[in-house]
Amino acid sequence: MKRFLITLLMLSMAVFLPQCIIVKPDSEKKEMEGKWESTLLANLAGVDIIEVYDIPLKLRLTITEENEIVELLNLIEIDEEQSGEVCFCAGSLLLRFKKQSLKIEDISYYYPSRFRWKNGRWPGDAVLTPSSKSRIENWFRQRKLEPTSRTEQCR
């Protein structure tokens, strides 16, 4: 109950404060040590569609080419030391992964360096390595997607 009230307080503060609020989760991060990328990739095995949405949910791009899907997944490299915090920003893009038209996972992109696995196994936001961040930004730019952040503090 205490954790719920703290989360509720933090969420309500995020609505009224212009900056990004970051909360660190506790021991859950230790359980995921060394498994951030592999857990995600295992869950996304066999995905044949990626839909990219603006927040709030306007479809911007649909990817069905296997080589493009593999390319994007190969760009994801997570800095586990920096990962685990939870940012209460709105996010920039939503990547919806599907298999045979059925939704498998939603991963939100928080410009310029975080992913959040909605209802997934990560205990917080996954922070990209500097090289992964650069390659993913370039990948988005090549597809005419320009994610932005509403606050500078999520950088």
Side-chain angles (χ1 to χ4, degrees):
M1 181 65 167
K2 182 179 178 182
R3 188 175 184 144
F4 170 76
L5 291 174
I6 290 171
T7 302
L8 186 61
L9 173 65
M10 296 303 283
L11 286 172
S12 63
M13 288 173 61
V15 171
F16 297 108
L17 297 175
Q19 77 275 8
C20 176
I21 295 174
I22 297 188
V23 177
K24 282 193 177 229
D26 45 22
S27 62
E28 298 169 15
K29 182 177 175 181
K30 197 78 171 152
E31 295 172 21
M32 282 300 297
E33 199 167 289
K35 302 178 195 170
W36 289 68
E37 287 173 38
S38 61
T39 303
L40 174 66
L41 295 176
N43 271 40
L44 298 180
V47 163
D48 54 7
I49 300 170
I50 300 175
E51 296 173 341
V52 182
Y53 294 84
D54 276 339
I55 306 263
L57 295 183
K58 177 184 174 192
L59 182 62
R60 296 280 311 278
L61 177 67
T62 300
I63 301 165
T64 57
E65 296 292 323
E66 182 180 1
N67 61 331
E68 277 198 83
I69 292 170
V70 170
E71 177 187 1
L72 175 59
L73 295 178
N74 286 336
L75 295 176
I76 299 173
E77 295 174 359
I78 298 168
D79 181 342
E80 291 191 16
E81 283 292 314
Q82 299 298 315
S83 297
E85 299 175 335
V86 178
C87 168
F88 286 97
C89 295
S92 303
L93 297 172
L94 175 83
L95 284 73
R96 177 158 289 157
F97 296 88
K98 294 182 171 185
K99 191 184 302 184
Q100 298 176 352
S101 299
L102 297 175
K103 181 178 97 167
I104 303 299
E105 300 292 350
D106 283 345
I107 308 290
S108 296
Y109 176 68
Y110 290 73
Y111 176 82
S113 63
R114 296 173 182 262
F115 277 113
R116 181 172 302 147
W117 185 357
K118 297 195 180 292
N119 304 314
R121 295 186 186 167
W122 290 342
D125 293 351
V127 176
L128 299 170
T129 64
S131 62
S132 179
K133 171 187 170 237
S134 175
R135 291 191 312 264
I136 286 174
E137 285 177 2
N138 189 45
W139 189 92
F140 284 135
R141 231 178 276 111
Q142 288 173 348
R143 287 151 184 84
K144 308 285 190 261
L145 298 167
E146 297 289 336
T148 59
S149 176
R150 293 190 333 196
T151 68
E152 294 297 311
Q153 295 187 7
C154 284
R155 296 176 178 249

